[in-house]
Amino acid sequence: MMGERKIDPADAVRLLDAGTAVAVDVREPDEFASGHIPGAVLLPLGSVRQRAAALLPDRHAALLVYCRTGRRASTACAQLSEMGYTDVQNLGGVLSWPYE
């Protein structure tokens, strides 16, 4: 199995601005409500296996997964990859996100 792919915020912003990637926030709804990357899809870690197919129908889309510190994002990346998503990248924690 290949190692986890990480992406840094600068690269992520370029992909998001170009519309070629989807930010996936795996925090809880209250965390999401307090601030998130614009356009991000909320997919709490506990519901990844149940809801990913409905929220993220394109298994070949570039997914940039993040949480608060990076730990949940890492778990979610593994789950999404196991489910057949082919372009999953760990953006890490939103605490280190330098953009508004």
Side-chain angles (χ1 to χ4, degrees), residues 10-64:
D11 290 335
V13 162
R14 278 196 291 274
L15 292 174
L16 294 169
D17 284 350
T20 56
V22 177
V24 181
D25 190 320
V26 296
R27 298 175 301 162
E28 293 305 307
D30 60 315
E31 293 175 282
F32 185 81
S34 71
H36 55 270
I37 293 174
V41 173
L42 175 62
L43 180 62
L45 179 58
S47 64
V48 167
R49 294 189 192 282
Q50 295 78 25
R51 301 187 57 215
L55 293 173
L56 305 166
D58 182 357
R59 290 184 190 269
H60 302 295
L63 304 180
L64 310 182

